[in-house]
Amino acid sequence: MAIKVIMDVDTGSDDAVAIMTAATSPDIDLVAICTVWGNKAVENTTDNTLRLIDALGLKAPVYKGCDTAMVKYLTNDFVPTPERKPVMYQGKPFQMHAEHLDLPEAKSKPEAIPAACFYVDYLRNTTEKVTLVPVGPLTNLGLALRIAPDIVDKIDQIVIMGGGSKMTNCNPWSESNIWHDPEAAQIVAECGAKVVWIPLDATHEACITMDDCKRFDEIGTFAANFSAEQCRQRIIVHNAQQPLPVPDAAAVHDALCIAYLIDPTVITDLRHCHVEIGLSGYGEGQTIVDQRAYPLKKNGYFAFHADRFKFVDILCDCFKRPVQGT
């Protein structure tokens, strides 16, 4: 039986690959997609999500979510992070995430209620437990859990793309999704549901190469071709700003969460541990994994390693298939 999933995205190139993987997997019933600020403003992330579902022919409702963090930007005492400049490649500027996905303008519209309210309404009324996959800042879910903590009873698990133990990207101590709204991340970490963290430690290992993009091209479906396009764009930026040990490769973070739902063995080192989030100063947004011999109460599962070859095989298997439920 397919897993019922709600995604929470800030689309975004790797979000797009994750959505296409979920949409083409027979193992996943994509109930809804929530959007949040993060990679870009929520207006852009929502528009990009709608463009993508229209291009896919995917019949999933989209709920527009929060446009900023719960607490962080109410004051100016956070440590700012400089914005990366576009990479010039063959005379053209490239960013990891474009303002608009290179797709026709969307005809679909977001649903009338905000994402956090959707979570509360849907989870309070569903008779089946649902898996949540937030791959952007955790603002929508953090707010929903503050409004209605009882919704945790209807959550099967929360698979988060975020954080890092030995790997960061936003600054020397944090990963972008968690840094953008650390208070929301801490609420989710302590909510009482099963929480699985898919951090940079795993996503940088499960990278996509130029040769993998050729495999996608050979499949020839829209999902395969558009994923190849997004991955190549990411590789260009990675090579310029954060080259990986694997040559001509990029992390496609968010899609690894979906691959984990399809085949959990893609994560080769998943440890039950205590995870909490730094909330201030030069530690704000840090994912703190208690690795002492006598740790605090274990509240999550943290992925330290992943299999990049299995990851690509999972994506290829999905991209060969039609969009589910259309």
Side-chain angles (χ1 to χ4, degrees), residues 72-73 76-83 170-173 179 281-282 284:
K72 184 185 183 93
Y73 301 109
N76 60 1
D77 63 352
F78 57 87
V79 179
T81 294
E83 189 171 335
C170 190
N171 50 41
W173 60 87
W179 183 84
Y282 283 94
E284 182 181 26

Side-chain angles (χ1 to χ4, degrees), residues 118-163:
F118 162 71
Y119 277 128
V120 175
D121 183 62
Y122 182 87
L123 291 170
R124 278 184 167 172
N125 289 287
T126 185
T127 57
E128 300 178 70
K129 287 198 172 187
V130 182
T131 292
L132 309 184
V133 185
V135 296
L138 289 154
T139 314
N140 292 332
L141 185 53
L143 182 57
L145 287 164
R146 270 294 185 257
I147 295 169
D150 57 286
I151 62 176
V152 75
D153 295 335
K154 297 294 182 67
I155 299 172
D156 186 45
Q157 61 178 330
I158 305 171
V159 181
I160 298 169
M161 191 285 114

Side-chain angles (χ1 to χ4, degrees), residues 222-235:
F222 168 79
N225 290 340
F226 195 62
S227 291
E229 179 183 322
Q230 298 305 300
C231 291
R232 286 192 177 100
Q233 178 176 311
R234 295 181 67 84
I235 290 169

Side-chain angles (χ1 to χ4, degrees), residues 81-314:
T81 294
E83 189 171 335
R84 287 194 175 100
K85 295 180 180 179
V87 171
M88 296 304 296
Y89 179 77
Q90 296 181 347
K92 296 180 181 180
F94 273 76
Q95 290 182 297
M96 194 71 80
H97 307 284
E99 293 288 336
H100 299 283
L101 292 180
D102 188 15
L103 294 169
E105 290 189 14
K107 294 182 180 179
S108 298
K109 302 293 183 184
E111 302 297 315
I113 66 171
C117 298
F118 162 71
Y119 277 128
V120 175
D121 183 62
Y122 182 87
L123 291 170
R124 278 184 167 172
N125 289 287
T126 185
T127 57
E128 300 178 70
K129 287 198 172 187
V130 182
T131 292
L132 309 184
V133 185
V135 296
L138 289 154
T139 314
N140 292 332
L141 185 53
L143 182 57
L145 287 164
R146 270 294 185 257
I147 295 169
D150 57 286
I151 62 176
V152 75
D153 295 335
K154 297 294 182 67
I155 299 172
D156 186 45
Q157 61 178 330
I158 305 171
V159 181
I160 298 169
M161 191 285 114
S165 176
K166 295 181 179 179
M167 185 72 64
T168 64
N169 62 0
C170 190
N171 50 41
W173 60 87
S174 64
E175 179 274 332
S176 295
N177 288 342
I178 307 306
W179 183 84
H180 277 312
D181 198 338
E183 287 80 12
Q186 179 65 10
I187 290 168
V188 176
E190 292 289 355
C191 74
K194 178 183 178 182
V195 178
V196 178
W197 297 85
I198 307 294
L200 299 181
D201 307 69
T203 63
H204 276 232
E205 284 191 358
C207 55
I208 303 292
T209 67
M210 286 292 190
D211 286 341
D212 297 327
C213 292
K214 292 177 183 177
R215 286 184 64 186
F216 298 162
D217 287 333
E218 290 168 0
I219 293 169
T221 61
F222 168 79
N225 290 340
F226 195 62
S227 291
E229 179 183 322
Q230 298 305 300
C231 291
R232 286 192 177 100
Q233 178 176 311
R234 295 181 67 84
I235 290 169
I236 289 167
V237 178
H238 262 280
N239 282 347
Q241 293 181 338
Q242 45 179 318
L244 300 182
V246 177
D248 283 333
V252 187
H253 313 283
D254 300 346
L256 187 58
C257 293
I258 301 300
Y260 168 76
L261 292 181
I262 295 167
D263 183 353
T265 65
V266 72
I267 299 299
T268 57
D269 184 2
L270 185 68
R271 304 179 200 173
H272 195 194
C273 49
H274 177 85
V275 180
E276 61 182 79
I277 308 301
L279 299 179
S280 62
Y282 283 94
E284 182 181 26
Q286 182 178 3
T287 313
I288 303 162
V289 182
D290 191 346
Q291 301 183 66
R292 296 175 297 175
Y294 299 96
L296 296 173
K297 182 180 178 181
K298 296 176 181 180
N299 63 352
Y301 295 82
F302 200 87
F304 285 90
H305 298 285
D307 183 336
R308 75 179 183 91
F309 301 104
K310 184 171 287 189
F311 178 45
V312 174
D313 286 344
I314 292 168

